[in-house]
């Protein structure tokens, strides 16, 4: 337990809980292998955390006064959080500002790989999320829900989510129908916004790549590679992700969707409340079961510069993919923004259409 402290390194421990039931901090409900409250400049690295009855790493989220900031969580191996209880627990529970989570290996979690419940300028990158399945957690484990990164903001924790970067993460083999890569839900109407999800590789995922269940604005999705999405359903869904309930300002650019929807699918969708500022372009969609004869629905059917029914020639390299020579994905992308018409083209500043 690290409470109201700073400049502490927690490095190189093996942590497992056998018959551990103590509260990590008086008055708090969760138990955790590593518990932070109102602390800063903490480094959590090179730990092996496994077979616990509580969360593996938990940054307390009662209200903004308990937030921990400038925490660096790196190079940890995290597995089987909550194994010794009847309630699944998250691998890393993040709350606070300017935190960095990178190069961690997280697997066999009956709950989400990560929760991100509020904060500004958080970065989640280069993590390996893998091998999560309901079959790993027989009775009496209950209420399993397995996502890569799940966010929500409630009126109780009250810390707005803003300017978050989720990049270069790899998720593989989470095949159940309740498994998503990212979910954003602003239940408390905190004004959550400005999320970039880029350069991630996701394969053998049970459900959707991204869902915005309650309005989170300006979520930018670009240069991700999706292979075999929706495998948890007898028949794959029509779309791989969607923007709903006021999630305006969404951008979907330069992504590869390989075997990610059923034939006739729309690939992505949005409702009427999420249409303002929406833009999609230069995405590639291909299903191997129908090949060059696949049928597509709007919006991708009429998308600007979409690449449809052309095999991207993906080659698995373990946690990620490369593309072979001759792939139609090569040089098929577009710039993420362009110079604004109001810019003079001279001087020391450049005005662009979309600085996000």
């Amino acid at each position: 337990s690290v409470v109201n402290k700073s400049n502490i390194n927690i490095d190189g421990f093996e942590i497992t809980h056998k018959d551990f039931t103590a509260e990590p901090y008086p008055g708090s409900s969760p138990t955790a292998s590593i518990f932070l409250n109102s602390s800063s400049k903490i480094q959590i690295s090179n730990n092996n955390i496994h077979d616990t009855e509580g969360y593996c790493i938990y940054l307390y989220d009662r209200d903004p006064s308990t937030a921990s900031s400038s925490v660096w969580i790196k190079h940890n191996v995290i597995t089987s959080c909550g194994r010794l209880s009847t309630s699944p627990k998250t691998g890393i529970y993040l709350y606070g500002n300017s935190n960095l989570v990178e190069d961690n290996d997280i697997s066999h979690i009956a709950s989400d790989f990560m929760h991100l419940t509020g904060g500004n300028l958080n970065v989640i990158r280069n993590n390996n999320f893998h091998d999560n399945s309901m079959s790993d957690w027989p009775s009496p484990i209950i209420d399993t829900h397995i996502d890569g990164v799940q966010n929500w903001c409630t009126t109780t924790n009250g810390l707005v989510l803003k300017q978050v970067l989720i990049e270069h993460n790899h998720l593989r083999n989470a095949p159940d129908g309740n498994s998503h890569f990212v979910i954003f839900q602003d239940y408390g109407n905190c004004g959550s916004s400005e999320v970039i999800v880029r350069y991630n590789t996701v394969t053998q995922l049970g459900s959707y790549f991204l869902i915005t269940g309650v309005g989170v604005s300006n979520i930018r999705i670009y240069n991700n590679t999706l292979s075999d999405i929706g495998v948890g359903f007898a028949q794959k869904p029509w779309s791989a992700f969607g923007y709903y309930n006021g999630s305006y300002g969404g951008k979907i650019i330069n992504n590869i969707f390989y075997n990610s929807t059923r034939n006739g699918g729309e690939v992505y969708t949005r409702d009427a409340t999420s249409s303002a500022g929406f833009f999609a372009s230069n995405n590639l969609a291909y299903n191997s079961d129908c090949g060059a004869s696949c049928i597509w629905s709007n919006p991708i059917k009429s998308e600007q510069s979409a690449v449809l029914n052309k095999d991207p020639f993906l080659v698995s390299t373990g946690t990620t993919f490369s593309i072979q020579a001759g792939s139609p994905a090569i040089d098929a992308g577009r710039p993420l923004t362009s110079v604004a018409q109001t810019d003079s083209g001279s001087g020391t500043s450049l005005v662009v259409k979309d600085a996000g």
Side-chain angles (χ1 to χ4, degrees), residues 243-298:
Y243 296 86
Y244 303 103
N245 300 317
S247 299
Y248 57 85
K251 303 289 191 295
I252 307 171
I253 303 172
N254 299 344
N255 301 281
I256 294 177
F257 301 95
Y258 182 88
N259 290 343
S260 296
T261 63
R262 71 177 75 173
N263 186 26
E266 57 196 3
V267 180
Y268 53 84
T269 187
R270 68 190 187 280
D271 64 13
T273 66
S274 306
S275 296
F278 179 86
F279 178 78
S281 181
N282 294 72
N283 295 292
L284 184 153
Y286 179 81
N287 288 337
S288 60
D289 58 352
C290 48
S293 62
C294 290
I295 298 170
W296 302 97
S297 300
N298 284 328

Side-chain angles (χ1 to χ4, degrees), residues 79-136:
T79 185
S80 299
C81 305
R83 173 69 70 181
L84 305 182
S85 74
T86 58
S87 176
K89 298 298 189 295
T90 300
I92 298 175
Y93 200 110
L94 196 66
Y95 181 77
N97 302 320
S98 302
N99 298 303
L100 173 60
V101 180
E102 67 175 348
D103 296 311
N104 299 282
D105 187 284
I106 308 178
S107 65
H108 302 287
I109 310 292
S111 186
D112 301 326
F113 292 98
M114 283 194 61
H115 284 168
L116 175 56
T117 58
N120 297 335
L121 300 171
N122 289 296
V123 176
I124 300 168
R125 70 183 183 202
N126 297 336
N127 298 286
N128 187 17
F129 304 142
H130 64 98
D131 297 312
N132 260 15
S133 174
M134 293 273 289
S135 62
D136 288 341

Side-chain angles (χ1 to χ4, degrees), residues 124-127 129 165-171 181-182 196-203 209 220-226 255-256 319-321:
I124 300 168
R125 70 183 183 202
N126 297 336
N127 298 286
F129 304 142
L165 178 61
I166 300 173
E167 67 173 357
H168 284 290
N169 300 285
H170 310 298
L171 186 151
F181 180 58
V182 285
I196 292 176
V197 182
R198 67 184 184 189
Y199 302 113
N200 300 282
T201 300
V202 180
T203 184
F209 173 78
R220 321 300 174 91
I221 310 295
Y222 62 87
N223 292 90
N224 299 280
T225 302
L226 286 64
N255 301 281
I256 294 177
T319 59
T320 186
F321 289 97

Side-chain angles (χ1 to χ4, degrees), residues 15-22 33 50-54 83-84:
I15 305 174
T16 184
H17 293 183
K18 181 176 175 57
D19 301 324
F20 177 82
T21 57
S33 299
H50 64 93
D51 297 290
T52 72
E53 90 295 330
R83 173 69 70 181
L84 305 182

Side-chain angles (χ1 to χ4, degrees), residues 319-338:
T319 59
T320 186
F321 289 97
S322 62
I323 51 177
Q324 302 176 61
S327 168
I330 296 173
D331 295 329
R334 61 163 288 140
L336 300 181
T337 188
S338 58

